[in-house]
Amino acid sequence: MVTEGSYYLYDALDEKVYFKEATILVPPQWNSKDFFKARTESFEKVQRTMAFYLISNNTEPYTKQYGECGAEGEYIHFTPEYLLNDTFIQLYGSRGRVFVHEWAHLRWGVYDEYSKEKPFYFSNGRIEATRCSKNIEGQFYEVTAGGSLQPCRIDPQTSLPYDGCTFFPDRNQITNSSIMFLPSLDPVTAFCRENEHNSQAQNMQNKKCSNKATWTVIFEDSVDKDALRSLKPLESPPPPPSFKVVQRAQRVVCLVLDVSGSMEGARILQQQQAATHFLRYIIEDQASVGIVTFSTSASTLRSLTIIDSDITRETLVQLLPKRASGSTNMCLGLSQGFQVLQEDNGDVLGDEIIFLTDGQATDNIDGCAPSAIQSGAIISTLAFSDSAAQALTEMADKTGKLYHVGTRTSDWFNGTVSVDQTVGNKTSFVIIYEIRFPSIYIQSPSGSIYTQTNMSHDGLLKTVTLNIPGTAEPGDWKYSIQTTSNQAFTITVTSQAAHEDVPPIIVKTHMNQQFNDGTKPMTVFAEVSQNYRPVINAEVWATLESETGSVHTLQLLDNGAGADAFQGDGIYSRYFTKLVDGRSSLKVRVKNQDVQTRFAAPKKSGAPYVPGYVVNGVVQLNPPKPPVSEELLEVGNFTRTATGESFKVKLSGTTPPNFPPNRITDLSAEIQEDTVLLSWTAPGEDLDQGTAKSYEIRWSFDLDMLRNSFSNGHVVNTAAVSPHEAGSVEQHSFNLSFPIQNGTTLFFAVQSEDEQNAKSETSNIAQASKILHGPKPPGVSNPGMNLTVLVISLCVVIMVICFIVAVTAWAVRRRNRFV
């Protein structure tokens, strides 16, 4: 994210990114010596807003992406060890080019042009290294455990080099592209263009971006496509960027409460219940809290107060308003809230406003919303009606909790909450009822029973609370609520981290759009992680409820198909196709009840580590990169609930849109003897939901022909292929009408069709080669290559715990409180 008032420039001539301002966010543990180092680091004048967080031992630079091709990423990861230790320049290349590599991921949604999973492929019977452009020359070798080189061996199963075979590029190259392949190579200063793009390379750029060159995506599909087309090269270098180093402090929050006449009755009670829950169980010790009310005018009920005891919490609870009257002047409330936040240091950057209102403004909130958004404060809104102003949702931030569910019943209301090892402190069960005090039973994992005698009851707030002393027992907690009156219930369970040095599992959820006119589908995202480690194999469900009362439930998937970008990255996704006019809310529930969930190594895009170069016929090996743990660890049972921002749909037509099946993105191909075997994940009738009607499969000797003119490819008979439900594994084998010659490479693509004859986009293009095995699998030869190896010894400091520089795509400065 670029801070408000700053700008970036992209110099199309020398392909550099320049910034006017940079804000560096550092953790409280850093001292002034560290501040000085961070402030004087120049990164070749390619700076950007940064934030530091504690994370596991991973010093590799990378960018978190999970959108479609051309979509902005989430953040850039740099660590102090990477930024301040010049050793890493040798391992990854100059910081300037590495930053441009990561910026292209983050801002323009392009992908890497190397591949760790498929480093080699066949092209016209030759083994090629996965790279762009193919003009980059080098040699293939395996590095033994002792540090010597040997020719790469061929795997007889694949006819490609075994794992461990490495492409060593020549240090001195004629070509100048591509930054997305190897930014560490000195001659590389440009992105790949179409006339030099290696469309056959088995990399993520080709798979995700329909074999387009990165330059094409940047100038045709990215958020900056219009600006970049008209951008002229800089006439002179820009001035150096200015740096601002800020540090997180204690949380500062102001509750801004609507007490206008439209809040009278049930809404003022709901506001009191929500604010009470926040003050008693959510806000941390040593945080500062103020309270403001607004209606016809605005007033401060309490200036900033440090939360230092339960007595202080209850004092604030007693101040909460219980009556409502007057008009709804929201801008006055916001202005008064900002005044309260400025009491500690005169600044609101990173401070929070929690804005509770029925959303029915009598003033022009659009007039004050832009300045509120630009203030740097986090503004979270909770609207108590279905007609909340659009500007409120533009200011809203996401929140989360351990467990939250509601129902209406006149009988029993039962459920299970799993408390995992990462949480347990200050655990509370809060039940809110509508009419009559119910019977409540809560059972711990070891069998202890809690009843009303163990709970506190607030008849005015219609709230029953069970506070678990100490650290809650990990495991499944069961609750049962019985009522004879037909009434609504909600149960909310909150819990804090069990240990200060062990961050809890968290869930972040959002829609890819906040407004939709029905011409494009919407995507639901939920990220499940613990200290930036992905949590995989969880069961994730999204509930989308419109203001008209319609409710749609989707199971989100992490299978790398349909709406999901990468399999096993902890990002669970699904298309939302049941669009209805009006505003809708999003809630996500995550659970693991059968111990299938695991921690996994992060999947990411980033500048690659370079094991060495060929210099004047001599291989020069770089020191090994710092290791990153790839161990899969069990998580255990847990539950989480997260609430996302609301979104609005205004259909442009009179009928809901009909979406075609989603584009297949994981098509793979294999040739066995004269048989072709294809496999892919089934799309749906509507994107990734339901069952498609049919498939059309075509092949060609020419990748570009199949990419640009799918209908001109050779047809494969699919009469016997019956599509399965979306998300299923599809396989189809067939023989071509001619014998496949040794060394032949074929290309395949698929389209699917629904009952309304709407066709999907053409799939990713899969390729397969027929290579006959000889009596002895050959090695990969490097004619004329001098096998002398020069090993450069260099001490690399490995940090077990390091800091991460997370450069967020947007709203970084709104996530923390800084001084």
Side-chain angles (χ1 to χ4, degrees), residues 401-406 417 430 479 490-493 587-589 640-643:
K401 56 187 75 67
L402 190 66
Y403 184 87
H404 176 83
V405 70
V417 183
V430 178
Y479 63 85
T490 63
I491 179 169
T492 302
V493 184
K587 184 172 71 175
V588 166
R589 293 184 62 193
R640 293 292 188 274
T641 301
T643 303

Side-chain angles (χ1 to χ4, degrees), residues 183-471:
S184 61
L185 202 58
D186 290 337
V188 169
T189 58
F191 296 107
C192 253
R193 289 171 165 82
E194 286 294 340
N195 63 347
E196 59 189 355
H197 176 58
N198 182 7
S199 58
Q200 292 189 28
Q202 302 287 284
N203 55 37
M204 194 57 66
Q205 172 65 20
N206 282 330
K207 179 179 178 180
K208 299 291 292 182
C209 299
S210 301
N211 300 83
K212 293 181 182 179
T214 55
W215 183 266
T216 303
V217 174
I218 292 171
F219 278 80
E220 293 184 4
D221 301 324
S222 75
V223 67
D224 292 323
K225 59 182 181 295
D226 295 330
L228 291 175
R229 288 170 185 163
S230 60
L231 190 65
K232 297 180 179 179
L234 296 174
E235 296 181 357
S236 60
S242 61
F243 292 83
K244 181 180 182 181
V245 180
V246 293
Q247 187 176 23
R248 182 171 61 188
Q250 294 296 338
R251 191 177 179 187
V252 177
V253 182
C254 183
L255 297 178
V256 179
L257 309 178
D258 185 350
V259 293
S260 62
S262 57
M263 289 288 293
E264 185 62 31
R267 292 175 184 172
I268 197 74
L269 175 61
Q270 292 172 353
Q271 177 176 265
Q272 192 179 0
Q273 291 169 337
T276 297
H277 186 78
F278 175 81
L279 292 170
R280 283 177 176 166
Y281 308 113
I282 303 299
I283 190 66
E284 304 88 347
D285 290 338
Q286 301 307 311
S288 296
V289 178
I291 302 176
V292 164
T293 61
F294 70 92
S295 57
T296 305
S297 60
S299 61
T300 299
L301 294 186
R302 185 69 173 232
S303 57
L304 289 181
T305 301
I306 296 177
I307 303 296
D308 54 8
S309 66
D310 289 340
I311 295 176
T312 302
R313 294 176 185 270
E314 288 305 313
T315 300
L316 294 175
V317 168
Q318 296 305 313
L319 290 174
L320 295 175
K322 302 174 180 62
R323 302 300 301 270
S325 64
S327 57
T328 311
N329 290 307
M330 293 187 181
C331 288
L332 289 179
L334 279 174
S335 177
Q336 192 75 14
F338 286 138
Q339 291 183 33
V340 170
L341 293 178
Q342 291 173 347
E343 292 174 358
D344 61 337
N345 62 359
D347 193 359
V348 301
L349 179 65
D351 294 348
E352 299 176 54
I353 282 181
I354 298 180
F355 201 82
L356 291 87
T357 176
D358 63 6
Q360 299 175 3
T362 55
D363 60 347
N364 181 20
I365 191 171
D366 291 325
C368 62
S371 59
I373 294 171
Q374 295 172 11
S375 68
I378 302 168
I379 304 178
S380 302
T381 62
L382 176 59
F384 295 100
S385 79
D386 299 325
S387 56
Q390 170 66 19
L392 288 178
T393 60
E394 292 177 0
M395 298 185 294
D397 193 53
K398 291 166 282 190
T399 59
K401 56 187 75 67
L402 190 66
Y403 184 87
H404 176 83
V405 70
T407 191
R408 174 175 290 276
T409 184
S410 58
D411 199 355
W412 285 94
F413 175 32
N414 305 312
T416 300
V417 183
S418 294
V419 176
D420 59 279
Q421 300 282 355
T422 67
V423 295
N425 281 343
K426 296 185 177 180
T427 302
S428 65
F429 292 72
V430 178
I431 297 94
I432 297 177
Y433 60 92
E434 183 183 22
I435 301 172
R436 185 171 300 172
F437 183 42
S439 298
I440 303 173
Y441 307 90
I442 297 176
Q443 180 178 317
S444 73
S446 61
S448 299
I449 302 295
Y450 298 87
T451 63
Q452 289 93 321
T453 58
N454 309 108
M455 305 173 190
S456 59
H457 177 218
D458 189 326
L460 294 177
L461 290 180
K462 298 181 179 179
T463 302
V464 185
T465 304
L466 171 64
N467 293 314
I468 306 300
T471 301

Side-chain angles (χ1 to χ4, degrees), residues 1 7 38 72 128 137 190 240 252 326 329 366 374 380 394 484 545 614 713:
M1 164 214 143
Y7 64 81
E72 292 181 86
E128 294 283 359
E137 298 178 347
V252 177
N329 290 307
D366 291 325
Q374 295 172 11
S380 302
E394 292 177 0
T484 57
E545 183 174 1
V614 177

Side-chain angles (χ1 to χ4, degrees), residues 510-558:
H510 72 278
M511 306 294 295
N512 69 327
Q513 306 165 49
Q514 265 58 67
F515 178 81
N516 186 282
D517 62 1
T519 59
K520 294 182 179 180
M522 303 190 73
T523 307
V524 190
F525 293 106
E527 180 178 3
V528 188
S529 63
Q530 191 255 357
N531 199 27
Y532 288 88
R533 289 188 298 176
V535 176
I536 62 175
N537 299 337
E539 186 177 335
V540 182
W541 291 86
T543 300
L544 302 105
E545 183 174 1
S546 71
E547 60 186 359
T548 59
S550 63
V551 178
H552 297 283
T553 302
L554 292 172
Q555 183 173 11
L556 307 186
L557 304 176
D558 185 17

Side-chain angles (χ1 to χ4, degrees), residues 1-2 6-9 17-24 37-50 76 78 83 95-96 99-100 103 240-243 805 807:
M1 164 214 143
V2 181
S6 64
Y7 64 81
Y8 77 89
L9 297 174
V17 181
Y18 299 91
F19 288 88
K20 179 181 178 182
E21 298 176 0
T23 303
I24 302 177
K37 288 181 179 179
R39 189 163 41 238
T40 56
E41 188 64 58
S42 67
F43 307 106
E44 297 183 7
K45 299 180 182 179
V46 285
Q47 276 285 4
R48 183 163 196 255
T49 304
M50 302 178 188
I76 296 176
F78 290 124
L83 296 177
R95 295 189 182 100
F99 188 89
V100 173
W103 173 260
S242 61
F243 292 83
V805 180
V807 184

